[in-house]
Amino acid sequence: MKLAGTRVLVAGAGVTGRSVTEALTELGADVTVTDGNAQRLAELDGLGATLEPGLDAPPEGTRLVVTSPGWRPTAPLLQAAAEAGLEVIGDVELAWRLGQERERPPVWLVVTGTNGKTTTVGMLESVLRAAGADAVACGNVGFAVLDAVRAGHDVLAVELSSFQLHWSDTLAPRASVVLNVAEDHLDWHGGLDAYAAAKGSVHARSATVVHNVGEEWSQRLADEYAPEGARRVGFRLDTPRPGELGIVEDLLVDRAYVGDPVQGAEELATLADVRPIGPHNVANALAAAALARAHGVPSAAVAEGLRTFTPGAHRAVVAGEIDGVRYVNDSKATNPHAATGSLLAQDGVVWIAGGQLKGASVDELVHGVAARLRGVVLLGVDADVIGAAVARHAPDVPVTRVDPGDHEPMTSAVNAAHALATAGDTVVLAPAAASLDMFRDYAARGEAFTTAVDVLRRERLGDGD
Protein backbone atom coordinates (compact mmCIF):
# COMPACT_ATOMS: atom_id res chain seq x y z
CA MET A 1 0.00 0.00 0.00
CA LYS A 2 1.88 3.08 -1.26
CA LEU A 3 1.41 5.94 1.17
CA ALA A 4 4.61 7.96 0.98
CA GLY A 5 3.78 11.25 -0.70
CA THR A 6 0.08 10.32 -1.02
CA ARG A 7 -2.40 12.98 0.05
CA VAL A 8 -4.71 11.41 2.65
CA LEU A 9 -7.63 13.01 4.48
CA VAL A 10 -8.36 11.81 8.02
CA ALA A 11 -11.96 12.42 9.13
CA GLY A 12 -12.15 12.76 12.90
CA ALA A 13 -9.58 13.88 15.46
CA GLY A 14 -10.48 11.64 18.39
CA VAL A 15 -8.59 8.58 19.63
CA THR A 16 -8.91 6.82 16.27
CA GLY A 17 -7.94 9.96 14.35
CA ARG A 18 -4.77 10.37 16.40
CA SER A 19 -3.79 6.74 15.83
CA VAL A 20 -4.38 7.04 12.08
CA THR A 21 -2.58 10.37 11.80
CA GLU A 22 0.49 9.10 13.65
CA ALA A 23 0.67 6.00 11.45
CA LEU A 24 0.21 7.88 8.17
CA THR A 25 2.70 10.66 8.90
CA GLU A 26 5.22 8.04 10.02
CA LEU A 27 4.82 6.40 6.60
CA GLY A 28 5.40 9.68 4.80
CA ALA A 29 1.85 10.46 3.71
CA ASP A 30 0.72 14.06 3.17
CA VAL A 31 -1.99 14.13 5.83
CA THR A 32 -4.87 16.53 6.42
CA VAL A 33 -7.10 16.04 9.45
CA THR A 34 -10.56 17.54 9.81
CA ASP A 35 -13.04 17.62 12.68
CA GLY A 36 -15.99 19.81 13.62
CA ASN A 37 -14.52 20.18 17.12
CA ALA A 38 -11.72 22.73 16.77
CA GLN A 39 -10.39 22.09 20.29
CA ARG A 40 -10.10 18.36 19.69
CA LEU A 41 -8.45 19.04 16.35
CA ALA A 42 -5.89 21.34 17.99
CA GLU A 43 -4.77 18.44 20.21
CA LEU A 44 -3.19 16.86 17.10
CA ASP A 45 -0.93 19.85 16.57
CA GLY A 46 2.66 18.72 16.30
CA LEU A 47 1.98 15.38 14.58
CA GLY A 48 3.05 16.73 11.17
CA ALA A 49 -0.43 16.94 9.66
CA THR A 50 -2.39 19.88 8.27
CA LEU A 51 -5.37 20.64 10.51
CA GLU A 52 -8.54 21.91 8.83
CA PRO A 53 -11.68 22.35 10.94
CA GLY A 54 -15.11 21.48 9.57
CA LEU A 55 -14.32 20.42 5.99
CA ASP A 56 -17.33 19.31 3.96
CA ALA A 57 -15.32 18.22 0.90
CA PRO A 58 -11.88 16.61 0.52
CA PRO A 59 -9.00 18.99 -0.33
CA GLU A 60 -7.85 18.99 -3.92
CA GLY A 61 -5.43 16.19 -4.67
CA THR A 62 -6.75 13.83 -1.99
CA ARG A 63 -6.30 10.19 -2.97
CA LEU A 64 -7.63 8.38 0.12
CA VAL A 65 -9.99 9.15 3.00
CA VAL A 66 -9.63 7.38 6.36
CA THR A 67 -12.64 7.95 8.58
CA SER A 68 -13.19 7.47 12.27
CA PRO A 69 -15.79 4.72 12.77
CA GLY A 70 -18.46 6.92 14.32
CA TRP A 71 -18.83 9.06 11.18
CA ARG A 72 -21.96 8.07 9.29
CA PRO A 73 -21.81 7.36 5.56
CA THR A 74 -24.32 10.20 5.14
CA ALA A 75 -21.90 12.80 6.53
CA PRO A 76 -21.48 15.51 3.84
CA LEU A 77 -17.70 15.08 3.75
CA LEU A 78 -17.90 11.32 3.19
CA GLN A 79 -20.66 11.68 0.62
CA ALA A 80 -18.55 14.23 -1.25
CA ALA A 81 -15.60 11.84 -1.17
CA ALA A 82 -17.70 9.00 -2.55
CA GLU A 83 -19.12 11.21 -5.30
CA ALA A 84 -15.55 12.19 -6.25
CA GLY A 85 -14.64 8.51 -6.62
CA LEU A 86 -12.32 8.48 -3.64
CA GLU A 87 -11.85 5.35 -1.58
CA VAL A 88 -13.13 5.74 1.98
CA ILE A 89 -11.84 3.24 4.56
CA GLY A 90 -11.62 3.01 8.33
CA ASP A 91 -8.72 2.56 10.69
CA VAL A 92 -9.33 -1.20 10.86
CA GLU A 93 -9.04 -1.57 7.09
CA LEU A 94 -5.88 0.53 7.14
CA ALA A 95 -4.44 -1.65 9.91
CA TRP A 96 -5.26 -4.81 7.96
CA ARG A 97 -3.57 -3.57 4.79
CA LEU A 98 -0.46 -2.37 6.61
CA GLY A 99 -0.21 -5.64 8.51
CA GLN A 100 -0.28 -7.64 5.28
CA GLU A 101 2.90 -5.87 4.21
CA ARG A 102 4.84 -7.33 7.12
CA GLU A 103 7.10 -10.31 6.46
CA ARG A 104 4.93 -12.25 8.93
CA PRO A 105 1.49 -10.64 8.96
CA PRO A 106 -0.30 -10.78 12.31
CA VAL A 107 -3.06 -13.33 12.85
CA TRP A 108 -6.48 -11.72 13.32
CA LEU A 109 -9.08 -13.44 15.51
CA VAL A 110 -12.13 -11.18 15.39
CA VAL A 111 -15.12 -10.84 17.71
CA THR A 112 -18.24 -8.82 17.03
CA GLY A 113 -21.86 -8.83 18.22
CA THR A 114 -24.17 -6.59 20.19
CA ASN A 115 -23.16 -7.85 23.64
CA GLY A 116 -20.28 -9.78 25.17
CA LYS A 117 -17.57 -8.58 22.77
CA THR A 118 -15.19 -7.11 25.33
CA THR A 119 -15.50 -10.05 27.72
CA THR A 120 -14.92 -12.54 24.90
CA VAL A 121 -11.90 -10.65 23.56
CA GLY A 122 -10.46 -10.46 27.09
CA MET A 123 -10.93 -14.20 27.55
CA LEU A 124 -9.37 -14.82 24.14
CA GLU A 125 -6.34 -12.67 24.93
CA SER A 126 -5.86 -14.52 28.23
CA VAL A 127 -6.11 -17.94 26.56
CA LEU A 128 -3.66 -16.96 23.81
CA ARG A 129 -1.14 -15.65 26.33
CA ALA A 130 -1.52 -18.82 28.40
CA ALA A 131 -0.41 -20.66 25.26
CA GLY A 132 2.69 -18.44 25.03
CA ALA A 133 1.51 -16.34 22.10
CA ASP A 134 2.53 -12.70 21.64
CA ALA A 135 -1.12 -11.65 21.71
CA VAL A 136 -3.00 -8.47 22.56
CA ALA A 137 -6.64 -7.44 22.83
CA CYS A 138 -7.29 -4.47 20.58
CA GLY A 139 -9.85 -2.68 18.45
CA ASN A 140 -12.97 -1.40 20.17
CA VAL A 141 -11.51 -2.08 23.63
CA GLY A 142 -9.38 1.04 24.02
CA PHE A 143 -6.16 -0.08 22.28
CA ALA A 144 -6.45 0.82 18.61
CA VAL A 145 -5.90 -2.11 16.26
CA LEU A 146 -3.65 0.09 14.11
CA ASP A 147 -1.41 0.67 17.13
CA ALA A 148 -1.34 -3.07 17.81
CA VAL A 149 -0.20 -3.75 14.24
CA ARG A 150 2.44 -1.03 14.42
CA ALA A 151 3.69 -2.52 17.71
CA GLY A 152 4.40 -5.78 15.88
CA HIS A 153 2.24 -8.22 17.88
CA ASP A 154 1.89 -11.68 16.36
CA VAL A 155 -1.74 -12.43 17.24
CA LEU A 156 -4.54 -9.89 17.56
CA ALA A 157 -7.69 -10.57 19.58
CA VAL A 158 -9.80 -7.92 17.88
CA GLU A 159 -13.12 -6.50 19.03
CA LEU A 160 -14.91 -4.76 16.17
CA SER A 161 -18.06 -2.66 16.22
CA SER A 162 -20.59 -2.53 13.41
CA PHE A 163 -19.25 0.96 12.59
CA GLN A 164 -15.71 -0.34 12.16
CA LEU A 165 -16.86 -3.27 10.03
CA HIS A 166 -18.86 -0.95 7.76
CA TRP A 167 -15.60 0.72 6.72
CA SER A 168 -13.59 -2.51 6.27
CA ASP A 169 -13.56 -3.99 2.77
CA THR A 170 -10.76 -6.57 2.55
CA LEU A 171 -10.38 -7.82 6.14
CA ALA A 172 -9.77 -11.60 6.13
CA PRO A 173 -9.45 -12.97 9.68
CA ARG A 174 -8.03 -16.36 10.62
CA ALA A 175 -11.31 -16.83 12.51
CA SER A 176 -14.35 -14.70 13.32
CA VAL A 177 -17.51 -14.84 15.41
CA VAL A 178 -20.74 -12.85 15.62
CA LEU A 179 -21.84 -13.53 19.20
CA ASN A 180 -25.38 -12.19 18.92
CA VAL A 181 -27.45 -9.40 17.40
CA ALA A 182 -30.03 -7.27 19.19
CA GLU A 183 -31.46 -3.82 18.54
CA ASP A 184 -28.67 -1.25 18.82
CA HIS A 185 -27.27 1.63 16.76
CA LEU A 186 -30.29 1.48 14.48
CA ASP A 187 -30.16 5.24 14.00
CA TRP A 188 -26.66 4.93 12.49
CA HIS A 189 -27.38 1.95 10.23
CA GLY A 190 -30.98 2.77 9.36
CA GLY A 191 -32.48 -0.50 10.60
CA LEU A 192 -31.84 -3.89 12.16
CA ASP A 193 -31.12 -5.69 8.88
CA ALA A 194 -28.41 -3.20 7.89
CA TYR A 195 -26.91 -3.37 11.39
CA ALA A 196 -26.85 -7.18 11.27
CA ALA A 197 -25.35 -7.13 7.78
CA ALA A 198 -22.48 -4.97 9.03
CA LYS A 199 -21.84 -7.53 11.76
CA GLY A 200 -22.10 -10.47 9.38
CA SER A 201 -19.60 -8.99 6.96
CA VAL A 202 -16.84 -10.01 9.37
CA HIS A 203 -17.25 -13.55 8.02
CA ALA A 204 -17.05 -12.66 4.33
CA ARG A 205 -13.36 -13.55 3.95
CA SER A 206 -12.79 -15.51 7.17
CA ALA A 207 -10.99 -18.85 7.14
CA THR A 208 -12.97 -20.17 10.14
CA VAL A 209 -16.50 -18.99 10.84
CA VAL A 210 -17.65 -19.50 14.43
CA HIS A 211 -21.30 -19.17 15.42
CA ASN A 212 -23.61 -19.69 18.38
CA VAL A 213 -25.99 -22.51 17.49
CA GLY A 214 -28.54 -21.23 19.98
CA GLU A 215 -28.59 -17.62 18.76
CA GLU A 216 -30.70 -17.01 15.66
CA TRP A 217 -28.77 -14.08 14.21
CA SER A 218 -25.39 -15.66 14.89
CA GLN A 219 -26.46 -18.78 12.99
CA ARG A 220 -28.14 -16.83 10.19
CA LEU A 221 -25.17 -14.54 9.55
CA ALA A 222 -22.77 -17.48 9.47
CA ASP A 223 -24.99 -19.20 6.91
CA GLU A 224 -25.26 -16.06 4.81
CA TYR A 225 -21.70 -14.72 4.90
CA ALA A 226 -19.38 -17.71 5.34
CA PRO A 227 -17.27 -17.96 2.16
CA GLU A 228 -17.07 -21.17 0.19
CA GLY A 229 -14.43 -23.44 1.69
CA ALA A 230 -14.42 -21.77 5.12
CA ARG A 231 -14.40 -24.01 8.15
CA ARG A 232 -17.64 -23.83 10.17
CA VAL A 233 -17.50 -24.26 13.95
CA GLY A 234 -20.57 -24.01 16.16
CA PHE A 235 -20.87 -23.73 19.91
CA ARG A 236 -23.82 -24.42 22.19
CA LEU A 237 -24.73 -24.56 25.88
CA ASP A 238 -25.49 -28.26 25.81
CA THR A 239 -23.91 -31.43 24.43
CA PRO A 240 -21.94 -30.56 21.28
CA ARG A 241 -22.40 -32.33 18.00
CA PRO A 242 -19.46 -33.17 15.73
CA GLY A 243 -17.83 -29.93 14.60
CA GLU A 244 -18.99 -28.03 17.69
CA LEU A 245 -17.92 -26.94 21.16
CA GLY A 246 -20.34 -27.29 24.05
CA ILE A 247 -21.08 -28.42 27.59
CA VAL A 248 -21.11 -31.96 29.00
CA GLU A 249 -22.09 -31.94 32.68
CA ASP A 250 -19.71 -29.32 34.14
CA LEU A 251 -17.12 -29.46 31.34
CA LEU A 252 -16.45 -27.27 28.29
CA VAL A 253 -15.83 -29.80 25.53
CA ASP A 254 -14.41 -29.58 21.99
CA ARG A 255 -15.70 -31.83 19.20
CA ALA A 256 -14.49 -29.57 16.39
CA TYR A 257 -10.70 -29.31 16.63
CA VAL A 258 -10.08 -32.99 17.30
CA GLY A 259 -8.86 -35.81 15.10
CA ASP A 260 -12.19 -37.62 15.01
CA PRO A 261 -15.08 -35.23 15.77
CA VAL A 262 -17.60 -38.07 15.47
CA GLN A 263 -16.08 -40.32 18.12
CA GLY A 264 -13.61 -38.01 19.84
CA ALA A 265 -13.95 -35.08 22.23
CA GLU A 266 -11.45 -33.06 24.23
CA GLU A 267 -12.03 -31.45 27.60
CA LEU A 268 -11.12 -27.75 27.58
CA ALA A 269 -12.11 -26.38 30.99
CA THR A 270 -14.75 -26.56 33.70
CA LEU A 271 -17.68 -24.24 34.34
CA ALA A 272 -15.90 -23.18 37.53
CA ASP A 273 -13.13 -21.72 35.35
CA VAL A 274 -15.55 -19.23 33.75
CA ARG A 275 -15.95 -15.77 35.28
CA PRO A 276 -18.19 -13.79 35.51
CA ILE A 277 -20.79 -16.50 36.13
CA GLY A 278 -23.87 -16.91 33.97
CA PRO A 279 -24.89 -18.74 30.77
CA HIS A 280 -24.05 -15.73 28.59
CA ASN A 281 -20.46 -15.77 29.84
CA VAL A 282 -20.18 -19.53 29.34
CA ALA A 283 -21.18 -18.81 25.73
CA ASN A 284 -18.52 -16.10 25.57
CA ALA A 285 -15.94 -18.56 26.90
CA LEU A 286 -16.89 -21.14 24.27
CA ALA A 287 -16.60 -18.51 21.54
CA ALA A 288 -13.16 -17.47 22.81
CA ALA A 289 -12.09 -21.11 22.96
CA ALA A 290 -13.29 -21.75 19.41
CA LEU A 291 -11.30 -18.79 18.08
CA ALA A 292 -8.20 -19.76 20.05
CA ARG A 293 -8.41 -23.38 18.88
CA ALA A 294 -8.57 -22.12 15.28
CA HIS A 295 -5.08 -20.76 15.99
CA GLY A 296 -3.93 -24.12 17.32
CA VAL A 297 -4.05 -23.35 21.04
CA PRO A 298 -3.90 -26.52 23.21
CA SER A 299 -6.71 -27.38 25.59
CA ALA A 300 -4.60 -26.80 28.72
CA ALA A 301 -4.12 -23.17 27.69
CA VAL A 302 -7.87 -22.72 27.34
CA ALA A 303 -8.41 -23.79 30.94
CA GLU A 304 -5.51 -21.72 32.24
CA GLY A 305 -6.52 -18.64 30.27
CA LEU A 306 -10.12 -18.75 31.48
CA ARG A 307 -9.01 -19.26 35.09
CA THR A 308 -6.66 -16.28 35.01
CA PHE A 309 -8.95 -13.93 33.07
CA THR A 310 -9.93 -10.81 34.99
CA PRO A 311 -13.34 -9.43 33.97
CA GLY A 312 -13.52 -5.78 33.00
CA ALA A 313 -14.90 -3.12 35.32
CA HIS A 314 -18.70 -2.73 35.55
CA ARG A 315 -19.30 -6.11 33.93
CA ALA A 316 -21.09 -8.34 36.47
CA VAL A 317 -18.62 -7.41 39.21
CA VAL A 318 -19.60 -8.25 42.79
CA ALA A 319 -19.60 -4.95 44.69
CA GLY A 320 -20.18 -6.51 48.10
CA GLU A 321 -22.45 -8.54 50.34
CA ILE A 322 -24.69 -7.07 53.04
CA ASP A 323 -27.00 -9.05 55.35
CA GLY A 324 -26.70 -12.10 53.11
CA VAL A 325 -27.57 -10.14 49.95
CA ARG A 326 -25.03 -9.84 47.11
CA TYR A 327 -24.71 -6.63 45.11
CA VAL A 328 -23.61 -6.95 41.47
CA ASN A 329 -22.50 -4.05 39.28
CA ASP A 330 -23.32 -4.71 35.63
CA SER A 331 -23.66 -1.09 34.55
CA LYS A 332 -22.23 -2.13 31.17
CA ALA A 333 -25.56 -3.88 30.47
CA THR A 334 -26.73 -0.87 28.47
CA ASN A 335 -29.41 -2.61 26.39
CA PRO A 336 -32.14 -5.18 27.08
CA HIS A 337 -30.22 -8.09 25.54
CA ALA A 338 -27.24 -7.54 27.83
CA ALA A 339 -29.47 -7.09 30.88
CA THR A 340 -31.23 -10.38 30.13
CA GLY A 341 -27.99 -12.33 30.34
CA SER A 342 -27.04 -10.60 33.57
CA LEU A 343 -30.35 -11.30 35.29
CA LEU A 344 -30.56 -14.91 34.12
CA ALA A 345 -27.23 -15.53 35.85
CA GLN A 346 -28.99 -15.12 39.23
CA ASP A 347 -31.84 -16.94 40.97
CA GLY A 348 -33.59 -14.35 43.12
CA VAL A 349 -33.02 -10.81 41.84
CA VAL A 350 -33.82 -7.30 42.94
CA TRP A 351 -33.25 -5.43 39.70
CA ILE A 352 -32.07 -1.82 39.48
CA ALA A 353 -32.89 -0.59 35.98
CA GLY A 354 -33.53 2.47 33.88
CA GLY A 355 -31.96 5.21 31.81
CA GLN A 356 -32.24 5.89 28.09
CA LEU A 357 -33.80 2.95 26.24
CA LYS A 358 -33.41 4.71 22.86
CA GLY A 359 -36.62 3.13 21.62
CA ALA A 360 -35.71 -0.46 22.56
CA SER A 361 -38.47 -2.73 23.87
CA VAL A 362 -38.09 -4.37 27.29
CA ASP A 363 -41.14 -6.66 27.15
CA GLU A 364 -39.19 -9.74 26.07
CA LEU A 365 -36.58 -9.05 28.75
CA VAL A 366 -39.12 -8.72 31.57
CA HIS A 367 -41.11 -11.74 30.40
CA GLY A 368 -37.96 -13.86 30.32
CA VAL A 369 -36.78 -12.97 33.84
CA ALA A 370 -40.13 -12.46 35.61
CA ALA A 371 -39.88 -15.67 37.66
CA ARG A 372 -36.54 -14.53 39.13
CA LEU A 373 -37.60 -11.04 40.14
CA ARG A 374 -38.06 -10.30 43.83
CA GLY A 375 -38.33 -6.57 43.32
CA VAL A 376 -37.56 -3.79 40.84
CA VAL A 377 -36.10 -0.35 41.45
CA LEU A 378 -36.44 2.11 38.58
CA LEU A 379 -34.64 5.35 37.82
CA GLY A 380 -33.94 7.49 34.79
CA VAL A 381 -35.87 8.98 31.92
CA ASP A 382 -37.47 5.73 30.73
CA ALA A 383 -38.36 4.32 34.14
CA ASP A 384 -42.07 4.40 33.31
CA VAL A 385 -41.54 2.32 30.16
CA ILE A 386 -39.82 -0.43 32.13
CA GLY A 387 -42.39 -0.11 34.90
CA ALA A 388 -45.21 -0.68 32.42
CA ALA A 389 -43.49 -3.83 31.14
CA VAL A 390 -43.11 -5.13 34.69
CA ALA A 391 -46.82 -4.45 35.31
CA ARG A 392 -47.70 -6.48 32.20
CA HIS A 393 -45.39 -9.46 32.72
CA ALA A 394 -44.66 -9.54 36.47
CA PRO A 395 -47.63 -7.78 38.09
CA ASP A 396 -46.98 -9.24 41.56
CA VAL A 397 -43.39 -7.97 41.75
CA PRO A 398 -43.02 -4.85 43.94
CA VAL A 399 -41.68 -1.80 42.11
CA THR A 400 -40.03 1.29 43.59
CA ARG A 401 -39.37 4.43 41.53
CA VAL A 402 -36.53 6.73 42.53
CA ASP A 403 -37.57 10.36 42.51
CA PRO A 404 -35.72 12.09 39.63
CA GLY A 405 -35.21 15.05 41.95
CA ASP A 406 -33.15 13.03 44.44
CA HIS A 407 -29.71 14.53 44.99
CA GLU A 408 -28.05 11.11 44.88
CA PRO A 409 -30.41 8.86 42.92
CA MET A 410 -28.13 5.81 42.95
CA THR A 411 -27.85 5.95 46.73
CA SER A 412 -31.65 6.04 46.91
CA ALA A 413 -31.86 3.15 44.44
CA VAL A 414 -29.46 0.94 46.41
CA ASN A 415 -31.27 1.68 49.66
CA ALA A 416 -34.61 0.87 48.04
CA ALA A 417 -33.20 -2.39 46.64
CA HIS A 418 -31.88 -3.32 50.08
CA ALA A 419 -35.36 -2.85 51.52
CA LEU A 420 -36.82 -5.23 48.90
CA ALA A 421 -34.14 -7.94 49.18
CA THR A 422 -33.89 -10.83 51.62
CA ALA A 423 -30.94 -13.08 52.47
CA GLY A 424 -29.98 -15.16 49.44
CA ASP A 425 -31.14 -12.58 46.91
CA THR A 426 -28.87 -10.62 44.58
CA VAL A 427 -29.30 -6.93 43.87
CA VAL A 428 -28.22 -6.41 40.25
CA LEU A 429 -27.56 -3.09 38.54
CA ALA A 430 -28.30 -4.11 34.95
CA PRO A 431 -29.93 -0.94 33.59
CA ALA A 432 -30.88 -2.22 30.10
CA ALA A 433 -30.41 1.39 29.04
CA ALA A 434 -27.83 4.06 28.34
CA SER A 435 -26.68 6.30 31.18
CA LEU A 436 -26.36 9.81 29.77
CA ASP A 437 -29.66 11.07 31.16
CA MET A 438 -28.19 10.92 34.69
CA PHE A 439 -24.49 10.04 34.52
CA ARG A 440 -21.37 10.90 32.53
CA ASP A 441 -21.22 7.34 31.16
CA TYR A 442 -21.89 3.75 32.21
CA ALA A 443 -18.65 3.69 34.20
CA ALA A 444 -19.73 6.68 36.30
CA ARG A 445 -23.07 4.95 36.87
CA GLY A 446 -21.30 1.78 38.01
CA GLU A 447 -18.99 3.74 40.29
CA ALA A 448 -21.99 5.46 41.87
CA PHE A 449 -23.53 2.04 42.52
CA THR A 450 -20.35 0.65 44.06
CA THR A 451 -19.98 3.73 46.27
CA ALA A 452 -23.61 3.49 47.40
CA VAL A 453 -23.16 -0.20 48.28
CA ASP A 454 -20.03 0.61 50.27
CA VAL A 455 -21.84 3.36 52.19
CA LEU A 456 -24.74 1.03 52.93
CA ARG A 457 -22.37 -1.69 54.12
CA ARG A 458 -20.64 0.69 56.54
CA GLU A 459 -23.99 1.91 57.83
CA ARG A 460 -25.19 -1.64 58.43
CA LEU A 461 -21.95 -2.43 60.27
CA GLY A 462 -22.45 0.63 62.40
CA ASP A 463 -19.32 2.51 61.25
CA GLY A 464 -21.00 4.96 58.89
CA ASP A 465 -20.79 8.71 59.34
Side-chain angles (χ1 to χ4, degrees):
M1 185 178 186
K2 182 182 180 302
L3 288 169
T6 300
R7 181 163 291 181
V8 182
L9 174 63
V10 177
V15 174
T16 298
R18 173 177 286 274
S19 172
V20 170
T21 300
E22 289 176 347
L24 291 173
T25 54
E26 184 180 282
L27 292 168
D30 180 2
V31 181
T32 298
V33 186
T34 189
D35 195 296
N37 186 322
Q39 181 178 351
R40 184 165 56 197
L41 189 64
E43 293 175 0
L44 302 190
D45 190 25
L47 294 184
T50 301
L51 307 180
E52 294 283 356
L55 290 179
D56 56 12
E60 185 176 350
T62 298
R63 294 290 177 264
L64 175 69
V65 178
V66 183
T67 180
S68 295
W71 283 49
R72 300 185 186 187
T74 55
L77 174 62
L78 301 185
Q79 285 190 318
E83 290 168 2
L86 298 177
E87 185 178 24
V88 181
I89 64 173
D91 66 307
V92 172
E93 178 68 16
L94 179 63
W96 170 258
R97 295 183 187 185
L98 294 180
Q100 295 310 294
E101 296 179 356
R102 284 173 42 183
E103 183 177 350
R104 291 181 56 192
V107 172
W108 288 54
L109 304 172
V110 180
V111 178
T112 191
T114 303
N115 297 304
K117 298 185 296 296
T118 300
T119 296
T120 303
V121 163
M123 290 174 168
L124 177 57
E125 177 192 52
S126 186
V127 168
L128 291 166
R129 289 184 174 179
D134 173 24
V136 65
C138 57
N140 200 40
V141 294
F143 182 35
V145 64
L146 185 55
D147 293 342
V149 170
R150 292 169 63 208
H153 293 287
D154 293 335
V155 188
L156 308 181
V158 189
E159 175 186 329
L160 294 184
S161 69
S162 57
F163 304 158
Q164 291 170 313
L165 285 164
H166 178 88
W167 299 113
S168 302
D169 297 324
T170 67
L171 174 64
R174 171 73 57 82
S176 58
V177 64
V178 179
L179 298 171
N180 47 63
V181 174
E183 290 184 345
D184 206 5
H185 305 304
L186 303 190
D187 54 346
W188 197 97
H189 290 282
L192 180 60
D193 288 344
Y195 170 60
K199 295 288 190 186
S201 67
V202 72
H203 293 321
R205 289 163 295 277
S206 185
T208 297
V209 171
V210 177
H211 65 277
N212 185 343
V213 175
E215 212 283 330
E216 180 183 357
W217 273 109
S218 182
Q219 177 80 49
R220 185 191 305 183
L221 294 173
D223 291 341
E224 183 174 349
Y225 285 93
E228 185 176 353
R231 184 175 195 171
R232 291 284 300 274
V233 175
F235 64 90
R236 61 173 67 233
L237 293 177
D238 55 12
T239 303
R241 298 174 181 174
E244 297 177 349
L245 281 69
I247 305 297
V248 176
E249 296 180 348
D250 68 338
L251 299 175
L252 279 67
V253 173
D254 177 6
R255 293 187 68 189
Y257 303 98
V258 291
D260 183 356
V262 176
Q263 299 296 329
E266 191 167 348
E267 297 177 7
L268 299 176
T270 70
L271 292 176
D273 295 326
V274 178
R275 293 175 298 112
I277 63 172
H280 59 305
N281 282 316
V282 175
N284 293 338
L286 289 168
L291 295 174
R293 297 284 276 174
H295 184 55
V297 167
S299 57
V302 174
E304 178 66 16
L306 292 177
R307 278 195 297 269
T308 57
F309 166 66
T310 301
H314 314 294
R315 292 173 170 84
V317 177
V318 177
E321 183 171 322
I322 305 168
D323 299 334
V325 176
R326 285 200 316 159
Y327 291 76
V328 173
N329 169 17
D330 200 8
S331 184
K332 186 62 173 65
T334 56
N335 58 55
H337 187 272
T340 300
S342 186
L343 298 176
L344 288 177
Q346 312 297 335
D347 292 324
V349 179
V350 175
W351 178 29
I352 299 178
Q356 296 168 303
L357 287 171
K358 299 179 292 184
S361 171
V362 293
D363 281 278
E364 184 176 350
L365 158 60
V366 176
H367 182 268
V369 303
R372 300 168 188 261
L373 296 178
R374 303 294 179 263
V376 178
V377 179
L378 299 173
L379 70 169
V381 66
D382 284 328
D384 288 345
V385 178
I386 302 175
V390 174
R392 283 191 293 272
H393 302 290
D396 296 329
V397 174
V399 176
T400 300
R401 285 177 172 80
V402 173
D403 186 341
D406 283 357
H407 180 63
E408 294 179 331
M410 189 59 76
T411 298
S412 297
V414 168
N415 289 337
H418 177 76
L420 292 170
T422 58
D425 289 342
T426 303
V427 172
V428 180
L429 172 67
S435 59
L436 297 181
D437 58 327
M438 300 180 71
F439 301 93
R440 181 183 69 252
D441 51 27
Y442 77 82
R445 179 171 60 188
E447 288 161 5
F449 174 81
T450 300
T451 298
V453 170
D454 187 56
V455 169
L456 177 62
R457 179 189 60 77
R458 288 189 280 112
E459 290 176 349
R460 299 296 295 172
L461 291 174
D463 59 348
D465 294 336

